[in-house]
Each structure stands twice: as C-alpha cells, then as structure tokens.
Amino acid sequence: HSATSCFTGGEYGKKAKKKSAEVDGEGSAVEEKKMVKSELAVAFPPTFSVSEIKNKQRRHFMFMKLKQEKRKQKMQLRKKRRKEREALGDKAPPKEVPKTIENQRVYDETTVDPEDEEIAFDEGTDEFSAYFNGLTNPKVLITTSDRPRGRTVRFCEQLATVIPNAHVYYRRGLALKRIIPQCVARNFTYLMVINEDRQVPNGMVLCHLPNGPTAHFKVSSVRLRKEMKRRGKNPTEHYPEVILNNFTTRLGHTIGRLFAALFPQEPHFVGRQVATFHNQRDFIFFRFHRYIFKNEKKVGIQELGPRFTLKLRSLQKGTFDSKYGEYEWVMKRHEMEACRRKFQL
Amino acid sequence: MQHDDVIWDIIGNTQFCSFKVKTKSQNFCRNEYNITGLCNRSSCPLANSQYATIREEKGQCFLYMKVIERAAFPARMWEKVKLSKNYEKALEQIDENLIYWPRFIRHKCKQRFTKITQYLIRMRKLVLKRQRKLVPLSRKVETRERRKEEKALIAAQLDNAIEKELLERLKQGTYGDIYNFPVHAFDRALEQQDQESESEEEEEEEEDDEDVGQREFVAEEEVEESDLSDFEVTLLSNDQQGATEKVESERSRNEEEDEEEMEVQTKASRSKGKSPANGSAARKKRAYVEIEYEQETEPASKSRAT
C-alpha cells in the first residue's frame, strides 16, 4: 500500500488514479508472487548459480572451487568403486566397456546383413559381377590431372607397382570423356585419375570401365615410400591379397567391391603381400604390407609401399560425366556431418 | 582548331599527362582510345585532331573516329561505326570509313582489328575445351576434417586389425598347405587341456580340414567377414580376454602343484598325434631344463606358448 501512495501523490492527476488502481493490482500481484517465492525459498536452501556473480575475479574463484568439489567427489567415487571391486575379488561385476564413437554409432538402416538375399542377388547382377565371376581380369590405367608435379608423379609410379597390371600414362590435357572410349577399346577395367593441387595429390577419381560406377575421393596424408620409417624392400610382382575392413552399409559394400575389383582374383600367397583398405569413421586408410607368420599366434608385418587416406565425396552411376551423370550418393556436409556418431560407409 | 603541337609539347615531353605510364625503356599510354598503347606523338589521342581506333565490346568490334569539330563536347566527340563480323568485310569497312586518312592510322587500325578478332576466336575455342572448376576450401572445414582423420587413425589400430585378419585367414586355412605349423595342434592341446575336453579339440581339427576345401574367392569373402558389426567385434574381444585371463590364473595355480605332474602332462600331450617338428623338440628340451633349475623362468615360457 506504500506503493499506491507514492503514485497518487504528484504529477499524474486523474490518470494517475486509474493507473494507480492498475498498478495497485499489479503491485499486489507482484507482492503475492514475492510471498510465494519466499515460501518456496523457505522450502529449499537458497541456490545461486556461479554465472550470476558479476565480478569476474570472484566468479572465477567460485567456479574453480566448484570444479575442485566435483573432482573430489569423482575421485572419492572412484576409490570407493575400486575398493568394492577388490573386496569382491573374483565375484566383482565385469568392467564396464567405455563408450567410443564406434560403440555409440547411430544404427544405419542400410547396414548389410550377411544373409540378405536381396543384396546377394543385387551383387550377382551388378557391374562388378563380371569380375567376381572370374570373367574379366583387372587392368588399371593411372593418370593425373594436367601438368603433374614431382610428388604426384612419384605417387602414381608407386601406385602402379602396388596394383598389379597397372599402367601410368601422361595426361596430355585430354578430356576424360575422350579417354574413356579409348580405354574401353583397349580392355582396361579401371581408370584412376589422381587430381593434384599445389604439387600434392588431393583427389582421386576411380572409374570402373565398361559402364561402371565412378567414385570421387578426397586423398589426404599421402606418404611416399622413402618417407616411411622402417619400411621393407620394394614390392614384387606377386599379386597381393586384399583386406577390406568395416564396410558395413550398402554404400560401403559398393565401395568395398570397387576396391576389391582393382586386384586380381587369385592372390599369390607366395608373395606374402597384402593391401588393406580399412574404413574407420568414413575415412578409408590404405596400407600395403608384407607379412610373415612367425608361428600360428604371431604374424609380423612390415610396411612397404605408399600409404594414403581416402574420403568418399561422391558416387556416380555410369562412367565419368560430371554434368549429366546420375549421382547415387553425394556428400552433403550439413546433412551428413551434423551428427558425430553417424557414418555413411 | 586544336593546337596539336602545343598539346603534345605540354603532355608529351615537358609537363604531366595523367595517362602516361613511364617504364625504364618505354612510355605507355593508358588512354582507352589509344590505338597502339604507346605514348607517341602519332599515337596520342589527345594530341592528334584526326584520330581513329578500334574497340571491342562483348565480342562486337567498333571503329571509333574522332570528330575534332566537337572537341568542346567530349562526350559526343567520338563517332562509332559497327564493323561486320566477317573479317574481310570489316577490313573493307575500315578502308571506306578512313579513306583519305593518314596511312599510319589506317594501318594501325587494321592491325588492332586483326589482333582483336584473333583473341576473340581463341576465347571461343577455350570455352569449348575443358573448363577447370575451382572449388574453394574452407579452412575451418579442412582443419576439422584433418583432426577427424587423425582421431580415426588412432581408433583404427591398423596394425592390430591387419594382424588379426591375417591370423584369422591362416586359422581358416585360406593359405592351404604353404605354412606347416604342426605344433599348431600341440599348442591348442596345451591351451585347452585345462579347460575343455578332448572331443572339442578333435572337432576343431576336422573343421579346419573342411574349410580348406571351401575357401575360393578370397576377395569377396573378406567383405562378408568384416560385416560383423562393431558391437559383435567388441563383445567377442571381451570374451577372448576373459578366456585368457582364466587360463593364466589356472596356470599360476598349476605351478604350485608338483612339477613332476607337469612334466608328465606335457610329455603325454606331445606324444599323441603327429610327429613333432624341430620346434617342439627344442621346446620339450627347454621345458625340461627349466624345470630342473628354477621355477621362476617357467611362467615366461608358458606365456610365450600362449
């Protein structure tokens, strides 16, 4: 009621009276709220958050104190748990598996089930079926973008030693669409174009030839042979084995088959060489090793050959045609990389 | 009307001309109507009453002629004639418009026109050839991807994965008879004698034989094997770890028993089955020797065997 008195006395006049009436109503409402709040406040201890302190030094100090408290509690909890585990000894519950991104991966509905008949049928009739039925032998043409510089050239040469039946050709500024019919005429099964930027390879277009899909990758972390530590001698002419790890989804399956068809079907086990394409979180790591079995439990591997990582950017049906091609899958960063636990391959 | 010489005297030699660009060897003229681009007495558009140029706009060539009577109205001073797209016809047009003009200007006009048509042709040809598409890289995105790649590399544990895969292939017999590890059977016996019965060992040997016949296309099969989802893989690895832990604890219990019993067991397990290769003979001797001397060296040999 003290609120009403200070409004009526003074400059406002008649309007003030009306206003004071409204204010009165509001004032009483506010007072009621305050009463309610104070009741609530009485129920719990008064809490305040650290962020409400205006003074930076004090706020920082309180925050540090808060963190220390939390840490202390965490340590106490840990100690307690450890004591319990030791006390129980053998009967202790098994250690919990820590969460990793792979554990928490969002389930992809296109994950391939090994017994799926539809997929088996698809794979029996897709563009790679000719290779997997043993009808064609892989023959790879490796080339670069215009005017390649030293590193890219050396990378192409090393790739040609790693992939059997591969030939490197200098790209004389020719259009890919003109190269492809010539390749098909000479029975090539793969066209690999290494794109270069600032003297370093940074992209790869892998085109399966008769009329197969074209994949465009981003290439990163290229290590040539002489940059590798503890590497072995140069790879021999034996056909290497192929390891494809973690290609789980439908898209991953297609890409896996794309890589598998680069190498001949019958690997020479005598050569003891293995090429690995390992997919982890949508990055495909390529490694080339020579292995030796010391006994049945241990194998030693020695890295030879170049290593690089690939990241799939787009998969296009049919041979290379960037304007009119039909894209099966394109990397759309905002949609696909929004969730950290969702992967495409 | 205009005193060309006076103008040239001022801008050409002594005083300042804002269109002049001086270099070590030559002077250039930046005036857009200049026919040769050099700063000369005969090429200066300001110091010549009778002047003509060829200029090109969006693929169209025009002949510009200076009408000195309109020197007071610089905006209307230049007269424009559109030249035909046909090269010869355009040259005739230039000739007919600049009839009676000094030889120098006619010649230079035609030269300039020729150069312009040549570069227009080259532009049209280049458009038909391969166009290079420049894709801008966002620095933030690139650093983010690089970091993700590093983390993925650490998570991948490539060496372990490759070794595991190779050992699995060996176990399943994809390599056929190339690698003879006859101690294979004895090792397995050692491992499992504490845990499982002999019937299970026989079953496993039979399975190996069957697999050797079945494996055909290595490349294709690998894709299917790696289709195990990550969950299954981690669970399996946990089980294996549990198994090895059990084995080790039982091993430590065994050490406390009589050493003689151990000797008897090992000898018995080795005598059954195939003939031992050199490796197992050496191992047999080694075990015997170590048991004679000290107990402490035994756990080392056991862990190597497993």
Side-chain angles (χ1 to χ4, degrees):
Chain A
H1 298 290
S2 58
T4 50
S5 59
C6 64
F7 277 107
T8 48
E11 314 99 80
Y12 298 106
K14 276 190 188 172
K15 284 187 187 169
K17 279 194 184 158
K18 268 197 187 168
K19 266 194 186 169
S20 68
E22 290 171 320
V23 167
D24 212 11
E26 286 176 18
S28 56
V30 167
E31 283 174 1
E32 279 175 7
K33 277 192 197 160
K34 277 191 187 159
M35 298 241 305
V36 170
K37 262 194 185 168
S38 59
E39 281 172 6
L40 285 175
V42 164
F44 313 123
T47 50
F48 63 96
S49 81
V50 177
S51 54
E52 278 170 21
I53 305 177
K54 298 292 181 182
N55 184 329
K56 182 164 177 174
Q57 250 186 338
R58 248 183 262 160
R59 189 172 64 231
H60 181 70
F61 178 71
M62 294 305 289
F63 181 67
M64 285 292 137
K65 245 183 35 177
L66 189 73
K67 289 283 275 246
Q68 275 177 8
E69 280 296 317
K70 277 197 187 163
R71 224 181 295 151
K72 215 168 39 166
Q73 283 176 4
K74 190 173 166 189
M75 290 301 290
Q76 282 174 357
L77 196 61
R78 253 200 189 172
K79 274 196 183 154
K80 202 172 70 170
R81 259 200 230 134
R82 200 170 353 135
K83 273 203 185 134
E84 281 173 15
R85 160 162 278 128
E86 279 172 15
L88 288 178
D90 274 341
K91 290 175 262 168
K95 272 197 177 168
E96 293 156 31
V97 180
K99 293 187 196 170
T100 62
I101 292 185
E102 281 78 27
N103 284 344
Q104 309 295 101
R105 178 175 174 173
V106 168
Y107 177 70
D108 198 333
E109 41 297 309
T110 61
T111 308
V112 170
D113 186 23
E115 286 111 41
D116 202 336
E117 292 155 353
E118 185 194 333
I119 293 182
F121 175 72
D122 273 341
E123 294 187 354
T125 52
D126 76 350
E127 296 118 341
F128 299 107
S129 55
Y131 165 81
F132 283 109
N133 293 335
L135 298 170
T136 54
N137 279 331
K139 193 173 170 195
V140 183
L141 179 76
I142 303 183
T143 184
T144 61
S145 53
D146 285 340
R147 303 212 173 206
R149 310 289 288 179
R151 221 180 137 81
T152 317
V153 170
R154 268 176 276 148
F155 178 56
C156 287
E157 284 169 25
Q158 292 184 5
L159 264 184
T161 54
V162 162
I163 303 175
N165 223 348
H167 307 270
V168 182
Y169 281 88
Y170 177 61
R171 175 97 172 270
R172 296 173 69 229
L174 302 168
L176 280 183
K177 286 197 203 164
R178 298 244 180 99
I179 299 182
I180 286 174
Q182 291 184 22
C183 287
V184 175
R186 288 174 213 206
N187 283 330
F188 278 96
T189 50
Y190 264 99
L191 174 67
M192 191 190 284
V193 183
I194 310 280
N195 190 56
E196 177 198 31
D197 176 50
R198 296 211 195 151
Q199 293 96 39
V200 135
N202 77 339
M204 182 199 292
V205 173
L206 193 55
C207 183
H208 184 77
L209 269 185
N211 45 5
T214 309
H216 176 43
F217 296 98
K218 175 173 102 129
V219 170
S220 45
S221 317
V222 173
R223 298 275 170 274
L224 301 175
R225 256 189 224 131
K226 62 172 168 179
E227 292 159 13
M228 296 224 217
K229 306 181 179 174
R230 288 187 282 271
R231 70 176 160 96
K233 297 198 181 143
N234 287 347
T236 57
E237 293 291 322
H238 297 109
Y239 296 165
E241 296 173 43
V242 181
I243 292 181
L244 299 162
N245 275 344
N246 280 348
F247 288 97
T248 48
T249 63
R250 200 62 199 279
L251 177 69
H253 238 250
T254 322
I255 301 293
R257 284 161 74 79
L258 193 77
F259 289 132
L262 269 175
F263 295 90
Q265 278 267 28
E266 260 90 59
H268 293 161
F269 296 125
V270 186
R272 288 187 283 125
Q273 290 174 146
V274 57
T276 310
F277 292 90
H278 181 106
N279 171 39
Q280 189 82 16
R281 303 183 192 175
D282 283 353
F283 287 98
I284 301 169
F285 298 101
F286 172 82
R287 299 285 184 271
F288 195 74
H289 291 280
R290 187 172 279 141
Y291 64 87
I292 179 160
F293 285 107
K294 296 177 189 164
N295 54 38
E296 314 76 52
K297 299 288 171 271
K298 275 211 286 192
V299 59
I301 54 176
Q302 193 186 38
E303 188 158 7
L304 0 148
R307 62 156 83 154
F308 52 92
T309 42
L310 299 169
K311 185 159 200 247
L312 182 68
R313 279 230 201 103
S314 67
L315 182 65
Q316 183 206 332
K317 243 180 176 32
T319 54
F320 180 76
D321 191 341
S322 50
K323 268 197 277 183
Y324 305 113
E326 177 197 338
Y327 280 92
E328 240 179 74
W329 185 86
V330 172
M331 176 61 161
K332 294 198 189 99
R333 205 168 44 84
H334 283 287
E335 288 175 24
M336 298 176 185
E337 281 190 16
C339 176
R340 276 173 218 252
R341 287 172 283 279
K342 191 164 174 27
F343 302 112
Q344 316 297 323
L345 289 182
Chain B
M1 282 133 283
Q2 294 287 79
H3 307 281
D4 295 342
D5 293 322
V6 174
I7 295 176
W8 178 247
D9 215 20
I10 296 172
I11 62 176
N13 293 323
T14 51
Q15 302 236 11
F16 180 73
C17 171
S18 67
F19 297 107
K20 189 192 281 197
V21 174
K22 276 193 187 175
T23 44
K24 279 206 189 134
S25 49
Q26 216 175 35
N27 292 341
F28 293 102
C29 182
R30 269 178 42 220
N31 193 320
E32 54 205 4
Y33 289 99
N34 191 312
I35 195 162
T36 53
L38 309 170
C39 187
N40 284 328
R41 173 69 182 87
S42 45
S43 319
C44 186
L46 308 173
N48 286 305
S49 317
Q50 201 181 32
Y51 201 77
T53 342
I54 307 282
R55 274 175 76 190
E56 174 262 327
E57 249 169 74
K58 294 182 196 159
Q60 274 280 26
C61 296
F62 295 94
L63 170 68
Y64 283 79
M65 287 174 290
K66 187 168 173 183
V67 180
I68 200 62
E69 287 84 14
R70 296 191 225 137
F73 314 103
R76 293 177 244 156
M77 192 162 57
W78 292 90
E79 261 199 15
K80 217 157 111 154
V81 173
K82 185 165 163 179
L83 297 175
S84 107
K85 298 239 175 166
N86 186 336
Y87 182 68
E88 282 90 26
K89 281 211 191 125
L91 286 181
E92 282 170 16
Q93 269 177 311
I94 293 176
D95 264 334
E96 101 187 37
N97 275 308
L98 299 182
I99 198 169
Y100 308 133
W101 280 51
R103 227 180 308 138
F104 174 78
I105 295 192
R106 257 185 289 145
H107 181 61
K108 287 297 178 188
C109 273
K110 286 190 214 160
Q111 268 191 339
R112 195 180 165 91
F113 176 69
T114 312
K115 256 299 177 307
I116 289 176
T117 42
Q118 282 173 352
Y119 81 59
L120 286 174
I121 291 171
R122 211 182 311 142
M123 273 168 66
R124 274 177 254 142
K125 262 200 213 154
L126 277 178
V127 171
L128 293 174
K129 270 195 186 177
R130 309 162 46 217
Q131 304 281 45
R132 183 170 296 219
K133 185 173 169 196
L134 294 175
V135 176
L137 293 176
S138 162
R139 204 183 315 191
K140 227 200 232 178
V141 173
E142 289 307 305
T143 42
R144 230 186 275 157
E145 288 218 337
R146 227 176 293 146
R147 198 161 162 74
K148 276 193 194 165
E149 190 191 316
E150 283 166 20
K151 299 266 173 188
L153 183 63
I154 295 170
Q157 295 180 0
L158 282 169
D159 289 342
N160 289 350
I162 297 176
E163 285 173 8
K164 211 163 74 166
E165 180 66 33
L166 288 170
L167 285 172
E168 259 193 57
R169 287 192 193 183
L170 178 69
K171 225 166 49 171
Q172 282 160 345
T174 48
Y175 299 126
D177 285 331
I178 303 174
Y179 302 103
N180 316 354
F181 290 119
V183 280
H184 178 63
F186 300 126
D187 274 348
R188 313 214 100 228
L190 266 179
E191 259 190 61
Q192 284 144 12
Q193 78 177 261
D194 294 320
Q195 296 175 32
E196 294 151 7
S197 61
E198 290 182 358
S199 54
E200 286 176 41
E201 289 159 38
E202 285 170 10
E203 281 172 7
E204 279 168 21
E205 284 174 17
E206 281 165 24
E207 277 175 13
D208 283 339
D209 291 336
E210 280 175 341
D211 283 339
V212 168
Q214 276 170 12
R215 296 293 153 189
E216 279 183 38
F217 292 114
V218 175
E220 187 169 359
E221 298 241 308
E222 288 330 302
V223 180
E224 286 168 24
E225 280 172 6
S226 59
D227 278 341
L228 279 178
S229 71
D230 299 331
F231 285 100
E232 295 177 34
V233 171
T234 50
L235 285 174
L236 272 179
S237 65
N238 280 339
D239 283 343
Q240 284 174 7
Q241 281 174 17
T244 50
E245 279 174 350
K246 278 188 193 167
V247 169
E248 280 166 29
S249 58
E250 282 166 12
R251 221 23 65 73
S252 57
R253 267 182 247 147
N254 279 333
E255 283 164 28
E256 293 161 28
E257 292 171 21
D258 281 348
E259 296 157 30
E260 287 174 344
E261 283 182 19
M262 290 291 285
E263 274 184 64
V264 165
Q265 280 174 355
T266 50
K267 278 188 188 170
S269 62
R270 290 209 178 105
S271 56
K272 78 168 183 194
K274 308 170 190 172
S275 58
N278 285 333
S280 72
R283 197 166 303 162
K284 188 175 160 189
K285 264 192 189 165
R286 229 187 293 141
Y288 180 76
V289 166
E290 281 166 355
I291 288 171
E292 269 195 5
Y293 293 143
E294 281 170 341
Q295 220 177 7
E296 286 151 18
T297 53
E298 262 204 335
S301 71
K302 286 300 168 201
S303 59
R304 243 185 282 142
T306 52

